Amino acid sequence: MRSRPGVHGGWELAADARDITLAQVWRLLQGDDPVLGLHGPDPDCAVGRNVQESLTRLDRAVADAVAAELQRFTVHDVVTGAVAAPPKPRRI
């Protein structure tokens, strides 16, 4: 992205919108922040430390799943309305 100050300023993409995946945008904005809103456990609590390790692994798996889904779409898809909702699961 590039920015220009002034009355006619603003942001513009430095690459073609077809080449920028939503996964790239999401990872850039998300950074290393936890997806599940995790916070640190009491350092004196062994159970809390174990639960935290499990939740941290789960958080990474959720982040990877979100990125994998967003990888299917580009900024161009969003601008043109080409992002379709996933099919609803079938009831058995």
Side-chain angles (χ1 to χ4, degrees):
M1 298 205 64
R2 292 186 290 246
S3 67
R4 288 186 315 253
V7 177
H8 298 289
W11 292 93
E12 65 182 66
L13 297 176
D16 189 294
R18 290 176 182 86
D19 297 331
I20 304 169
T21 69
L22 295 187
Q24 291 170 308
V25 173
W26 185 75
R27 287 207 189 265
L28 179 67
L29 296 174
Q30 181 66 25
D32 293 329
D33 291 342
V35 177
L36 302 177
L38 302 178
H39 55 83
D42 178 347
D44 296 328
C45 179
V47 172
R49 285 192 308 271
N50 288 335
V51 168
Q52 184 71 18
E53 288 175 17
S54 294
L55 290 175
T56 299
R57 286 191 297 273
L58 178 61
D59 185 79
R60 185 77 264 143
V62 169
D64 290 345
V66 168
E69 182 65 19
L70 292 175
Q71 186 66 33
R72 298 177 39 218
F73 304 102
T74 66
V75 171
H76 181 263
D77 295 333
V78 172
V79 172
T80 61
V83 176
K88 291 185 179 181
R90 297 169 81 197
R91 293 184 114 185
I92 298 176

